[in-house]
Amino acid sequence: MKPKIEDVAKHAGVSPTTVSRVLNNRGYISEKTRKKVQESMEHLNYFPNEVARSLFIKKTHLIGLIFPTTNNPFYGQLIFHLENTCASLGYKVLLCNSQNREDKETNYVKMLQRNQVDGIIAGAHNRGIEEYDIPKLPVVGIDRYLSSTIPVVSSDNYNGGQQATQLLLDKGCKHIFHINGPDFLETPANLRRRAYEDVMRSNHLNPITYEFPYRATAEAVQEIILRLFNENPQVDGIFASDDLIASKVIREAKKRKINIPADLKIVGYDGTETTRLLLPELSTVEQPIKEIAEKAVEILIQQIDGPHDDIQLETILPVKLIDSETT
Amino acid sequence: MKPKIEDVAKHAGVSPTTVSRVLNNRGYISEKTRKKVQESMEHLNYFPNEVARSLFIKKTHLIGLIFPTTNNPFYGQLIFHLENTCASLGYKVLLCNSQNREDKETNYVKMLQRNQVDGIIAGAHNRGIEEYDIPKLPVVGIDRYLSSTIPVVSSDNYNGGQQATQLLLDKGCKHIFHINGPDFLETPANLRRRAYEDVMRSNHLNPITYEFPYRATAEAVQEIILRLFNENPQVDGIFASDDLIASKVIREAKKRKINIPADLKIVGYDGTETTRLLLPELSTVEQPIKEIAEKAVEILIQQIDGPHDDIQLETILPVKLIDSETT
């Protein structure tokens, strides 16, 4: 059993009220008594119960994070910065890996409410339903529209898509394809695809997107890549909607003895630290992950601290093109 | 403000005691009243306060996770499985990224105690001090000896080191070097180095380990790799203590136009899903990350559920050699 306030009182030879006064810095306490109580707390390894205190002040300083999985370079880096920013502001985080499963996500949202979190930051699947529309509970979405009233922070996906496509054009590609997930999800990431299509059309080229299904297995994504290569032997440029897909494209091209970048140029998306370390040759669009995390926490705490009419509903941060060795 | 039990009572036209009885399934309540209360809870979006309940039952179902950072393929995957396993058993996790900093780690341990966690799983830096030796608080270490009485779960680092070195020998390497962090840290991972040295000696070869400093910057690690190549032009085999280092070695070898695997063979360590995806050509030793997570949670909860004399102090899980394209 963890030591209680009564144990400290007994050890110090004072009343529980006195211990409570020392803890809360309330009422008159002699220096001698204060010292005695503090020594007893240390001796017994007593920690003031933040759980009890949170009930009293009606604030837990807990923030729930709902993301598909930390087992992914983008979310791993994002969650690191979210936790780090929260910690620096006195907030703790409850981590939830929803694995893109609706049932898990719903259960996590309920669990977080039962645990009285002060707010939620979510970057999980958006089903356009009202799960996150919780009266009085601040929520911020990252790269996901959770509802019409919930602020969302993302990087400039449209500009990123433009830059990636333009880079391939500038390097002389004539047959550029795009690979992406399904666009029925209302995510800002769809803008990467829209930008690709717009840039292609404005250059009088036909945009073709190879789409893999939602929650596709590794095999399903691989199949789409194979199909792209098989159906389009003329392909000389591929813009993949994330670096992991780009990595699979590189792999398949090597298997087919296609020369990169001479005969095929590839651009990915995300530019996480892990990808830059393991696959530095990949040209990609780097998202400002740390800044996204800091902005999301800032907007969430702004809401927690009081009702604001001036919450910015959409925050878009600039991306950076990395022209490496695959272009 | 979040709705309270009194708000539900008012809305349902019953007393708070009645609401409490419905919540706790206690005493006689008519079906009609129960339904009315439940409808009011739903209407007001009321959730029973798990914080208040945890005070009452003296159990928070909270587990603290202290690891260097989720922004790393190994820890990202490990933390995913830890959280997932905890969630399946009704536990929530408070995430702490200690960034290998003692001050952060110490503060997190205190924070977790103030928040009355039921236990802690830690894989952060071990300073051999008594920070984790908390009376009555269950703790489990992953790949870290936290104290003589705290159970530790790790993979078979010695066997992994043996297999990696033996693979290089079997493939004909004569000048095999090892790269690792400092061995003053009392981590089971030192056994990778010990195994390398033992296998080399038993083959009448001179083991040479290039060591980079604790918390080395990317530049410092890079410098060690450059030194290894510069001082040993005859090198034909390198066993790196993790895949990220192995990736840098590959990069440097390519820069020097050294042919892999013809002239230089490389083995890494960890074999995370992310590395296998981004760098599938790397031969490596795969750790059973999911099994490590599950075992750590199992041992922690065994301790939480009651004092046990039969807690296994050291659990060692088997590794798997992946002979890919760099060997």
Side-chain angles (χ1 to χ4, degrees):
Chain A
M1 290 287 292
K2 297 160 191 165
K4 287 179 293 195
I5 210 163
E6 287 77 13
D7 302 319
V8 177
K10 202 173 160 193
H11 188 270
V14 300
S15 72
T17 315
T18 304
V19 176
S20 166
R21 278 186 182 160
V22 172
L23 276 172
N24 295 297
N25 227 346
R26 240 191 357 242
Y28 172 74
I29 301 283
S30 76
E31 229 3 85
K32 198 178 140 205
T33 305
R34 182 184 307 278
K35 220 178 140 207
K36 208 161 55 177
V37 169
Q38 277 164 345
E39 278 166 2
S40 294
M41 287 197 280
E42 230 163 276
H43 179 80
L44 295 171
N45 205 39
Y46 171 84
F47 280 88
N49 189 329
E50 227 165 80
V51 177
R53 191 174 144 76
S54 76
L55 273 179
F56 182 69
I57 62 173
K58 305 233 179 282
K59 198 174 164 182
T60 54
H61 286 92
L62 274 174
I63 288 175
L65 303 183
I66 307 181
F67 288 89
T69 174
T70 54
N71 186 17
N72 167 292
F74 178 75
Y75 292 118
Q77 188 171 340
L78 180 65
I79 288 168
F80 164 74
H81 287 297
L82 285 170
E83 190 275 326
N84 208 26
T85 309
C86 285
S88 73
L89 297 166
Y91 284 84
K92 303 148 284 186
V93 307
L94 279 171
L95 175 69
C96 307
N97 291 291
S98 68
Q99 298 172 273
N100 282 333
R101 277 176 47 186
E102 292 187 23
D103 55 332
K104 287 210 168 207
E105 196 173 348
T106 304
N107 285 336
Y108 276 128
V109 173
K110 284 184 188 156
M111 179 278 277
L112 293 174
Q113 289 180 266
R114 288 196 307 272
N115 284 280
Q116 317 291 316
V117 293
D118 292 338
I120 295 176
I121 299 177
H125 169 39
N126 156 44
R127 295 131 297 144
I129 63 168
E130 67 277 23
E131 221 90 60
Y132 287 102
D133 249 332
I134 305 156
K136 320 277 162 73
L137 184 64
V139 177
V140 171
I142 291 186
D143 241 12
R144 290 291 181 280
Y145 300 118
L146 300 171
S147 99
S148 58
T149 57
I150 293 176
V152 58
V153 179
S154 62
S155 69
D156 196 339
N157 288 289
Y158 189 83
N159 180 255
Q162 279 183 311
Q163 288 197 61
T165 313
Q166 194 59 51
L167 177 66
L168 292 169
L169 285 168
D170 290 348
K171 299 256 173 161
C173 298
K174 304 278 176 229
H175 307 282
I176 304 171
F177 293 80
H178 181 48
I179 306 178
N180 207 327
D183 77 348
F184 69 82
L185 292 177
E186 296 162 41
T187 84
N190 285 341
L191 294 171
R192 297 174 199 169
R193 175 183 185 158
R194 180 115 51 89
Y196 156 77
E197 294 176 346
D198 287 354
V199 171
M200 289 292 279
R201 285 199 194 94
S202 71
N203 282 274
H204 313 292
L205 293 167
N206 189 23
I208 300 176
T209 297
Y210 274 73
E211 193 176 299
F212 52 84
Y214 180 55
R215 284 190 299 203
T217 59
E219 292 72 33
V221 172
Q222 183 61 25
E223 210 173 287
I224 295 298
I225 293 170
L226 291 182
R227 246 186 52 212
L228 192 162
F229 277 107
N230 289 337
E231 294 174 0
N232 309 279
Q234 80 285 17
V235 56
D236 60 3
I238 294 179
F239 167 34
S241 67
D242 74 45
D243 293 338
L244 299 179
I245 298 165
S247 156
K248 286 169 190 261
V249 171
I250 293 177
R251 185 85 183 152
E252 184 57 30
K254 281 186 181 166
K255 216 182 271 173
R256 291 170 185 243
K257 313 262 184 234
I258 298 173
N259 209 330
I260 301 170
D263 301 323
L264 176 66
K265 295 178 176 58
I266 300 164
V267 184
Y269 206 100
D270 282 345
T272 63
E273 287 177 11
T274 295
T275 313
R276 303 282 305 129
L277 199 59
L278 292 172
L279 202 63
E281 61 267 36
L282 177 65
S283 296
T284 187
V285 178
E286 186 185 314
Q287 297 207 57
I289 301 181
K290 183 168 183 243
E291 289 72 21
I292 291 174
E294 288 173 346
K295 194 72 195 172
V297 173
E298 180 195 320
I299 293 176
L300 188 74
I301 290 181
Q302 207 184 340
Q303 292 179 80
I304 291 173
D305 283 348
H308 280 261
D309 294 332
D310 57 342
I311 296 284
Q312 202 174 332
L313 267 181
E314 186 149 17
T315 306
I316 297 172
L317 299 167
V319 295
K320 191 178 129 198
L321 184 70
I322 295 173
D323 182 4
S324 189
E325 297 161 23
T326 58
T327 45
Chain B
M1 293 288 292
K2 296 159 190 165
K4 286 180 294 194
I5 211 162
E6 287 77 11
D7 302 319
V8 176
K10 202 172 160 195
H11 188 270
V14 300
S15 73
T17 315
T18 303
V19 177
S20 166
R21 280 188 181 160
V22 171
L23 275 173
N24 295 298
N25 226 346
R26 237 186 4 237
Y28 173 74
I29 301 285
S30 75
E31 228 4 86
K32 197 178 140 204
T33 306
R34 181 182 308 277
K35 219 178 140 207
K36 207 161 57 178
V37 169
Q38 276 164 347
E39 278 166 3
S40 294
M41 288 197 280
E42 229 162 275
H43 179 80
L44 296 171
N45 204 40
Y46 170 84
F47 280 87
N49 188 328
E50 227 165 80
V51 177
R53 192 175 143 76
S54 76
L55 273 179
F56 181 69
I57 62 172
K58 306 233 180 282
K59 196 174 165 183
T60 54
H61 286 92
L62 274 175
I63 288 175
L65 303 183
I66 307 182
F67 288 89
T69 173
T70 55
N71 185 18
N72 166 293
F74 178 75
Y75 292 119
Q77 188 171 340
L78 180 66
I79 288 167
F80 165 73
H81 287 296
L82 285 171
E83 190 276 324
N84 208 24
T85 309
C86 285
S88 73
L89 297 167
Y91 285 83
K92 303 147 282 185
V93 308
L94 279 172
L95 175 67
C96 308
N97 290 292
S98 67
Q99 296 173 272
N100 282 331
R101 276 176 47 186
E102 292 188 22
D103 56 331
K104 286 209 169 208
E105 197 174 348
T106 305
N107 285 336
Y108 276 128
V109 173
K110 285 184 187 156
M111 178 278 277
L112 293 174
Q113 289 182 266
R114 286 196 308 273
N115 283 280
Q116 317 290 316
V117 293
D118 292 338
I120 295 176
I121 299 178
H125 169 39
N126 156 46
R127 295 132 298 144
I129 61 169
E130 68 277 23
E131 221 90 61
Y132 286 102
D133 248 333
I134 306 156
K136 320 277 162 71
L137 185 64
V139 178
V140 171
I142 291 186
D143 241 11
R144 291 289 182 282
Y145 299 117
L146 300 170
S147 98
S148 58
T149 56
I150 294 176
V152 58
V153 179
S154 62
S155 68
D156 195 338
N157 288 288
Y158 189 82
N159 180 254
Q162 279 183 312
Q163 288 197 62
T165 314
Q166 193 59 52
L167 178 66
L168 292 170
L169 285 168
D170 291 348
K171 300 256 172 159
C173 297
K174 304 278 177 232
H175 306 283
I176 304 171
F177 293 80
H178 182 47
I179 307 178
N180 207 327
D183 75 348
F184 71 81
L185 292 177
E186 297 162 41
T187 84
N190 286 342
L191 294 172
R192 296 174 200 169
R193 176 182 183 158
R194 180 114 50 89
Y196 155 75
E197 293 176 347
D198 288 353
V199 171
M200 288 292 280
R201 284 200 194 96
S202 70
N203 282 275
H204 313 291
L205 292 168
N206 189 24
I208 299 175
T209 298
Y210 274 72
E211 193 176 298
F212 53 83
Y214 181 55
R215 283 191 299 204
T217 58
E219 290 74 31
V221 172
Q222 184 62 24
E223 211 174 288
I224 294 297
I225 293 170
L226 291 183
R227 248 188 50 212
L228 193 162
F229 277 107
N230 289 338
E231 295 174 358
N232 309 279
Q234 80 284 18
V235 57
D236 60 4
I238 293 179
F239 167 35
S241 67
D242 74 44
D243 293 338
L244 299 179
I245 298 167
S247 156
K248 287 170 190 260
V249 170
I250 293 177
R251 185 85 183 153
E252 184 57 29
K254 281 186 182 165
K255 217 183 269 171
R256 290 171 187 244
K257 314 263 186 233
I258 297 173
N259 208 329
I260 301 170
D263 301 323
L264 175 67
K265 296 178 176 54
I266 300 164
V267 184
Y269 206 102
D270 283 346
T272 62
E273 288 177 10
T274 296
T275 313
R276 303 283 304 133
L277 200 59
L278 292 172
L279 202 63
E281 62 267 36
L282 177 65
S283 296
T284 187
V285 178
E286 186 184 313
Q287 296 207 58
I289 300 181
K290 184 168 181 244
E291 289 72 20
I292 291 174
E294 288 172 347
K295 194 71 195 175
V297 173
E298 181 194 319
I299 293 177
L300 188 75
I301 291 181
Q302 208 184 340
Q303 293 178 81
I304 291 172
D305 283 349
H308 279 261
D309 295 331
D310 58 340
I311 296 284
Q312 201 174 334
L313 267 180
E314 186 148 20
T315 305
I316 297 173
L317 299 167
V319 296
K320 191 179 129 198
L321 184 70
I322 295 173
D323 182 4
S324 189
E325 297 160 24
T326 59
T327 45

